[in-house]
Amino acid sequence: MAKRGMLIVLSGPSGVGKGTVRKEIFSQEGNKFDYSISMTTREKRPGEVDGKDYYFVTKEEFENEIANGGMLEYAQYVDNYYGTPLKYVNEMLDSGKDVFLEIEVKGAMQVRKKCPDGLFIFLTPPDLMELRQRLINRGTDDIAKINKRMKTAVEEIEMMQNYDYAVVNDEVPRAAEKIKTIIRAERWRVKRFLPDYKKQLGDALK
Amino acid sequence: MAKRGMLIVLSGPSGVGKGTVRKEIFSQEGNKFDYSISMTTREKRPGEVDGKDYYFVTKEEFENEIANGGMLEYAQYVDNYYGTPLKYVNEMLDSGKDVFLEIEVKGAMQVRKKCPDGLFIFLTPPDLMELRQRLINRGTDDIAKINKRMKTAVEEIEMMQNYDYAVVNDEVPRAAEKIKTIIRAERWRVKRFLPDYKKQLGDALK
């Protein structure tokens, strides 16, 4: 039996640019992991392809999947469901392939509970440190509004604690390269490397 | 105050090629970490430079350092002491620099206890899986000797559990590149990244 693949989860606050970074990663050759396509009930937009951008399903089909325990994670945004079908992910992992998910933070926390051994990467905005100064300099927001934005920033950073790695999305190619470096390095973590290595040694001892 | 640097420890079984891989890493430009030079009581060999290859000291000087708590780790091999002076390592870490140690496994375990947050990389021989077959094919060792070597191999692998990463030394440039990838990625681990990020945010909230 093949060594089970690694589940890679890229997440981060809404608007941080997860999709753009993910597309940058998958526009490059030589990745040793596959992208898990999400399922959604929202309307297909012009140019989108079923089974490539999303699996487009009806609300009833999605709710059936949920009822049958067929979703690894899901969430509702603006009356539509978004989620990751479990079947495809499991098939890939079982065949030894690493699987890459790009999902919202709520979904990521559902996955963390089910797959604690996954690799969780948090994409974080570059401007948190400069945010306040920029907001003040701009002079359009009052101090209450600035403080509210800073509070949201703090909450976002707190979420980071549930992840293994954090990458600042200052430039998309740079963030993509860092994420690929993390995925490479993570394969040599002893907890991932040792079981397989021991198994091979076990075979050698026979 | 600068963020404290990361302590990087490369270790592995005797004869695995730690020194060769370390030299390969430091022969390259652009490393963002410094090598911590070991202290020893052994004779200086032709070509070796004091303060570059080792700090060469007398047995009395070394034992004084031990007595004064001046060694981060040390061990005795063939009547000579080898170890890492604490002072230099601490100065570099305090100034925010990452420090690279290349030490024996016993020393590495001493460091792990004192610096649990260090980055511990285990260099492992490439041939464990093939070792038995090669020994059998060679036909020079009897089965008892082969089994003893395999037992040593198993013990070496067990030590790996105390490390964060394991890298197979199949080719020196390849192993060096993997170690550099690990060091890069490790800087984005949330536990290393978050304290500094929070501090910067704290400043922004003032």
Side-chain angles (χ1 to χ4, degrees), chain B residues 136-198:
Chain B
I136 291 169
N137 290 350
R138 204 167 58 182
T140 53
D141 291 329
D142 60 25
I143 195 70
K145 200 165 179 186
I146 290 172
N147 285 344
K148 189 165 175 255
R149 288 193 63 156
M150 293 312 291
K151 193 167 165 282
T152 305
V154 174
E155 285 166 5
E156 283 174 358
I157 290 183
E158 294 297 331
M159 290 193 300
M160 220 189 260
Q161 294 189 40
N162 303 308
Y163 291 74
D164 301 306
Y165 294 89
V167 169
V168 174
N169 188 18
D170 45 5
E171 290 168 44
V172 171
R174 213 171 122 89
E177 194 274 329
K178 285 183 181 181
I179 289 165
K180 290 171 75 168
T181 299
I182 288 167
I183 294 170
R184 279 196 75 212
E186 189 69 15
R187 294 205 177 97
W188 307 313
R189 280 198 76 81
V190 165
K191 70 171 180 179
R192 300 188 194 281
F193 178 90
L194 191 52
D196 198 45
Y197 200 60
K198 271 190 168 172

Side-chain angles (χ1 to χ4, degrees), chain A residues 96-204:
Chain A
K97 271 199 180 163
D98 296 340
V99 181
F100 187 103
L101 309 186
E102 175 243 309
I103 54 180
E104 301 296 328
V105 284
K106 282 180 193 170
M109 289 305 96
Q110 295 174 36
V111 179
R112 177 109 252 184
K113 275 178 200 148
K114 290 180 189 172
C115 309
D117 270 352
L119 167 59
F120 290 79
I121 305 169
F122 190 84
L123 195 67
T124 192
D127 57 345
L128 287 176
M129 288 79 77
E130 293 172 21
L131 182 62
R132 190 164 185 269
Q133 199 51 52
R134 285 198 294 113
L135 293 172
I136 290 169
N137 290 349
R138 204 166 58 183
T140 53
D141 290 331
D142 60 25
I143 196 70
K145 201 166 177 185
I146 289 172
N147 286 344
K148 190 165 174 255
R149 288 193 64 159
M150 293 312 291
K151 193 167 167 282
T152 306
V154 175
E155 286 167 5
E156 283 174 358
I157 289 182
E158 294 296 331
M159 290 192 301
M160 220 188 258
Q161 295 190 39
N162 303 308
Y163 291 74
D164 301 306
Y165 293 89
V167 169
V168 174
N169 189 18
D170 44 5
E171 290 169 43
V172 171
R174 213 171 121 89
E177 193 274 328
K178 285 182 180 180
I179 290 165
K180 289 170 76 168
T181 298
I182 288 167
I183 294 169
R184 279 195 74 214
E186 188 69 15
R187 293 203 177 97
W188 307 313
R189 280 198 77 82
V190 165
K191 71 171 181 180
R192 301 190 193 280
F193 178 91
L194 192 53
D196 198 45
Y197 200 59
K198 272 190 167 172
K199 197 193 156 295
Q200 289 183 45
L201 187 74
D203 292 345

